[in-house]
Amino acid sequence: MSLNEIIQTYYEYFNKEKLPYIKCTNCGYVFYYPRAICPKCLSKKLSIMESKGEGEIYSETKFVNEKGQVTIVGLIRLEEGFMIYANILTNRLEDVSINKKVKVEFKEVIKGQKFPFFTTIS
Amino acid sequence: MLLGFSSRYEKVYQGSVLDLIAETVKEALDMAKLEPKDIDGIITSWLPWIFDSTLAIGFPENYISEYIGIRPKFTDLVQYGGASAVEMFYRAYKAVKSGEADRVLCIIGGKGTLMKKQLREGGLERLSEVELLNILRNNPFDEFIRVYQDMDPISFYAMVAARHSKLYGTTDEQRALLAVQQRYNANSNERALFRGPLTVKDVINSRVVSTPLHLLEITYPIDGVLAFIVGKGISQLRSMDVISYGDAVWPEFFAERDVDIVYTPTIESAKKIDFNLNKIDAFEIYDAFTIMVLTELEDLGLTEKGKIGKFIEENDLTIKGNIPVNTGGGSLNMGQPAYMSGIIILEEAFLQFNDMAKGHQVNGADYILVNGLGGWNTHATTLVIGEKR
């Protein structure tokens, strides 16, 4: 697959509320950010996989955005072993801290296109 | 080796950045008793917006050479973020040592305040981060990163601070204590932008910008340029040499790093340093955020990873102390020219080594360690300067 085809597949997964990631079938390396080659062994034998969408907060920070809303951005370590930098959406700020469990949730942020976000698990 | 240098810093510079460069270069050349025709090498750096709000400049080394009348036979462009100035000094040193050039002029800086102005008030403000992708990209995955709201790059260093606290129990007060010690140094520096008494409580009570970082733990973007000349021959300045050097580049996006985010590439650059840190008279450590200095000092090996909080409490990092750090107050108090450059730490090393630091001079500053750190813990350059005996 070419890079653009992989990116397109990612967008389709997102709209179906599935979280994709890539596994190199040559060396076994697992990564999220789309590439047409494995950054460890340069193999093109890659499989697009579907993540369970569950993981834990590796780190996070809270700030007030330009609209005055408390916003959280963080690094999420997924169970499959890769990390995503994304916003964490929750009404319970006190539940957001390092090592807490989170799960993926999809939200349309660009017209017609959903993206993965994370939310706390109660 | 260092023949001349000069700098200009202003909270907001009203003129063109070329005025700022021309004035600074003239002063550096005057100190070195040289003219433009004597310069045969040029190294510069460039970042979006810093040249009179231009988003992009083709051939920045030529752009500057053309304006100030330099005809170089050696050029280089260094984009190491906060490590740029330090890396530039080393590249100029190497170019002279290898005979590629005899006198290299290094110019770094610009108008750091314009980025914010352009993004918030200028024509680009109506563009979302995602739309900006078509104009300026930072990495190959920007589409999958910029859809999220953050306070880049504050968010990244805030996450480093949060994780450092979680793993090692580092407290807000310990980070604040570093800011307080640097302010003590700034109070003896007439060029510092921020002066006056500062307590740990003041830092803790300042607004939280991005948890856990407070306003007084974050540098303030200013306009400014540093010009310096590295070359053969003697000058009125003290004979300076590179005693030891190391650098490291971690290009990967921070979500894809194999190492924990509490480590900086200084852990790698410092390994190449062959010099006893106990003999260092002053440490100039890149300080866009308090947490950067904490993690850099750990990675340099002054203390073990995770023990920096206690280390700051048990040592005096001011100019009167046993381990002087950021002797002029650092960027936290001087401001950050061109929003990431490492100008402040490098010039402070030049001043200290030449006994020119006036009120904030450390006695017997013979060996100075400068540590630049750029991007999102992306580049590190570690340099020990001194006189070869």
Side-chain angles (χ1 to χ4, degrees):
Chain A
M1 269 174 128
S2 72
L3 176 60
N4 287 340
E5 284 165 346
I6 291 173
I7 289 174
Q8 208 45 51
T9 307
Y10 263 53
Y11 284 147
E12 285 161 16
Y13 267 63
F14 290 171
N15 276 352
K16 288 179 193 157
E17 307 214 336
K18 290 177 177 182
L19 184 65
Y21 68 99
I22 297 172
K23 185 171 180 161
C24 172
T25 53
N26 184 51
C27 75
Y29 183 63
V30 160
F31 57 99
Y32 170 71
Y33 293 95
R35 295 177 176 89
I37 50 151
C38 170
K40 296 289 179 193
C41 71
L42 294 189
S43 168
K44 285 184 171 178
K45 289 178 190 154
L46 307 176
S47 297
I48 298 183
M49 318 281 284
E50 186 187 339
S51 164
K52 272 170 70 191
E54 291 177 11
E56 57 181 44
I57 299 172
Y58 176 84
S59 197
E60 52 79 30
T61 182
K62 304 173 185 84
F63 61 97
V64 177
N65 72 7
E66 283 167 2
K67 291 177 189 156
Q69 300 153 331
V70 176
T71 307
I72 311 167
V73 69
L75 284 164
I76 315 301
R77 182 175 283 291
L78 277 297
E79 280 176 17
E80 292 83 1
F82 60 92
M83 268 213 287
I84 300 186
Y85 180 59
N87 289 124
I88 300 168
L89 310 171
T90 183
N91 293 323
R92 294 194 310 275
L93 293 181
E94 64 280 7
D95 283 358
V96 178
S97 63
I98 295 170
N99 296 342
K100 284 276 169 72
K101 297 257 185 272
V102 288
K103 63 174 197 274
V104 75
E105 179 179 286
F106 290 83
K107 196 179 136 188
E108 188 176 310
V109 275
I110 296 171
K111 207 167 180 248
Q113 183 58 58
K114 289 178 181 172
F115 278 89
F117 288 75
F118 289 86
T119 189
T120 47
I121 299 173
S122 46
Chain B
M1 190 52 79
L2 180 69
L3 303 179
F5 66 98
S6 181
S7 67
R8 295 274 181 116
Y9 310 129
E10 288 194 30
K11 203 164 177 180
V12 179
Y13 183 77
Q14 298 300 342
S16 161
V17 77
L18 289 172
D19 293 329
L20 201 53
I21 287 172
E23 286 165 21
T24 318
V25 167
K26 172 90 171 69
E27 287 163 2
L29 285 170
D30 283 350
M31 183 191 269
K33 296 192 167 59
L34 295 171
E35 291 174 37
K37 66 171 171 51
D38 303 317
I39 300 297
D40 59 0
I42 189 156
I43 307 181
T44 188
S45 187
W46 183 82
L47 286 165
W49 288 289
I50 65 171
F51 271 35
D52 298 335
S53 56
T54 325
L55 197 57
I57 281 190
F59 317 107
E61 319 89 291
N62 290 5
Y63 191 90
I64 296 177
S65 298
E66 187 175 351
Y67 189 74
I68 55 176
I70 305 283
R71 190 77 193 274
K73 62 179 185 187
F74 165 84
T75 73
D76 202 353
L77 178 65
V78 176
Q79 293 189 311
Y80 270 37
S84 294
V86 191
E87 180 67 23
M88 236 180 218
F89 177 78
Y90 183 64
R91 294 216 193 154
Y93 172 87
K94 276 199 299 190
V96 172
K97 279 274 172 193
S98 68
E100 291 213 45
D102 290 332
R103 282 166 295 273
V104 180
L105 172 64
C106 299
I107 300 168
I108 178 161
K111 297 176 69 168
T113 55
L114 283 169
M115 174 177 63
K116 231 190 204 163
K117 202 171 151 58
Q118 277 288 309
L119 283 173
R120 300 261 158 85
E121 301 158 25
L124 294 170
E125 115 263 27
R126 278 172 292 277
L127 298 179
S128 67
E129 281 279 308
V130 177
E131 289 167 317
L132 269 172
L133 283 177
N134 296 326
I135 305 174
L136 179 70
R137 298 183 66 96
N138 273 331
N139 79 42
F141 319 114
D142 274 346
E143 288 90 342
F144 297 89
I145 296 166
R146 291 206 192 165
V147 286
Y148 304 109
Q149 287 188 46
D150 64 3
M151 290 189 91
D152 184 42
I154 299 172
S155 304
F156 172 68
Y157 287 100
M159 290 193 302
V160 173
R163 196 162 164 82
H164 204 280
S165 290
K166 177 72 182 182
L167 295 180
Y168 310 117
T170 310
T171 63
D172 287 3
E173 286 77 9
Q174 288 169 333
R175 289 195 319 275
L177 186 56
L178 176 93
V180 167
Q181 300 203 10
Q182 287 198 195
R183 174 61 65 85
Y184 177 91
N185 297 343
N187 284 338
S188 307
N189 182 0
E190 59 185 27
R191 292 185 76 188
L193 180 65
F194 299 111
R195 282 194 288 175
L198 187 73
T199 64
V200 165
K201 218 174 160 189
D202 292 334
V203 179
I204 301 291
N205 287 340
S206 68
R207 180 168 67 86
V208 174
V209 176
S210 190
T211 59
L213 296 179
H214 301 79
L215 186 65
L216 294 179
E217 300 185 68
I218 301 171
T219 192
Y220 185 93
I222 59 166
D223 298 336
V225 165
L226 172 70
F228 58 95
I229 301 146
V230 175
K232 288 178 181 150
I234 49 161
S235 75
Q236 54 180 307
L237 293 171
R238 186 177 171 193
S239 166
M240 181 195 282
D241 233 304
V242 172
I243 304 294
S244 198
Y245 165 88
D247 80 350
V249 184
W250 289 357
E252 57 283 322
F253 178 49
F254 52 75
E256 292 196 320
R257 292 225 169 113
D258 293 335
V259 289
D260 198 291
I261 61 165
V262 296
Y263 286 89
T264 77
T266 303
I267 191 86
E268 230 173 276
S269 61
K271 281 201 184 104
K272 301 172 187 167
I273 296 295
D274 180 23
F275 192 80
N276 182 354
L277 294 189
N278 292 325
K279 289 187 182 164
I280 298 289
D281 301 304
F283 291 85
E284 310 301 343
I285 307 294
Y286 191 67
D287 62 335
F289 307 96
T290 48
I291 187 64
M292 287 178 104
V293 182
L294 268 60
T295 50
E296 285 170 89
L297 291 177
E298 285 174 339
D299 292 348
L300 283 167
L302 285 174
T303 184
E304 280 173 52
K305 182 55 78 186
K307 301 218 168 132
I308 190 66
K310 212 164 182 343
F311 181 87
I312 292 174
E313 287 173 349
E314 289 172 352
N315 290 280
D316 182 350
L317 307 188
T318 70
I319 43 176
K320 65 174 176 27
N322 58 329
I323 302 168
V325 171
N326 290 342
T327 46
S331 264
L332 284 173
N333 296 294
M334 295 281 286
Q336 190 190 37
Y339 71 85
M340 50 176 178
S341 56
I343 291 176
I344 298 294
I345 50 170
L346 184 65
E347 186 180 31
E348 180 63 18
F350 292 169
L351 292 170
Q352 288 290 341
F353 185 70
N354 285 289
D355 205 16
M356 289 165 71
K358 296 186 185 167
H360 55 286
Q361 180 67 45
V362 168
N363 283 337
D366 290 328
Y367 294 103
I368 298 160
L369 185 145
V370 195
N371 196 65
L373 184 59
W376 302 260
N377 280 344
T378 313
H379 295 92
T381 305
T382 310
L383 201 60
V384 175
I385 58 166
E387 200 168 347
K388 268 198 184 142
R389 291 166 204 267

XYZ file of all heavy atoms in Angstrom, chain B residues 11 52 109 168 170 181 276 288 299:
70
model
N 11.963 43.683 24.299
C 10.682 43.016 24.559
C 9.891 42.934 23.250
O 9.365 41.881 22.908
C 9.905 43.763 25.634
C 8.895 42.890 26.329
C 8.410 43.523 27.625
C 7.337 42.653 28.261
N 6.838 43.232 29.501
N 10.640 39.305 10.178
C 9.578 40.253 9.819
C 8.308 39.533 9.363
O 7.700 39.897 8.361
C 10.072 41.217 8.734
C 11.238 42.054 9.227
O 11.355 42.236 10.446
O 12.048 42.506 8.399
N 18.805 34.567 15.617
C 17.775 35.342 16.301
C 16.763 35.901 15.342
O 16.706 35.522 14.178
N 8.749 10.189 40.324
C 9.803 10.441 41.322
C 9.363 11.317 42.495
O 10.174 11.646 43.354
C 11.026 11.088 40.640
C 11.476 10.349 39.399
C 11.431 10.958 38.147
C 11.934 9.026 39.485
C 11.836 10.274 37.003
C 12.340 8.345 38.353
C 12.291 8.971 37.107
O 12.684 8.298 35.986
N 8.682 14.458 42.406
C 9.171 15.834 42.278
C 7.995 16.796 42.507
O 6.910 16.592 41.975
C 9.758 16.049 40.870
O 10.669 14.978 40.622
C 10.483 17.379 40.750
N 15.983 30.561 42.281
C 17.444 30.681 42.263
C 17.926 31.414 41.006
O 18.851 32.217 41.067
C 18.076 29.293 42.367
C 17.661 28.588 43.663
C 18.633 27.495 44.092
O 19.709 27.347 43.562
N 18.237 26.731 45.094
N 35.671 16.360 33.713
C 35.145 16.199 35.071
C 34.204 17.360 35.415
O 34.619 18.504 35.498
C 36.331 16.159 36.045
C 35.884 15.953 37.474
O 34.681 15.943 37.774
N 36.863 15.786 38.360
N 13.720 26.991 28.625
C 12.428 27.509 28.189
C 11.371 27.227 29.259
O 10.393 27.958 29.394
C 12.017 26.893 26.858
N 20.318 14.513 33.289
C 20.905 13.796 32.160
C 22.392 14.119 31.966
O 23.147 13.316 31.421
C 20.109 14.085 30.875
C 18.710 13.475 30.937
O 18.457 12.661 31.847
O 17.875 13.818 30.092
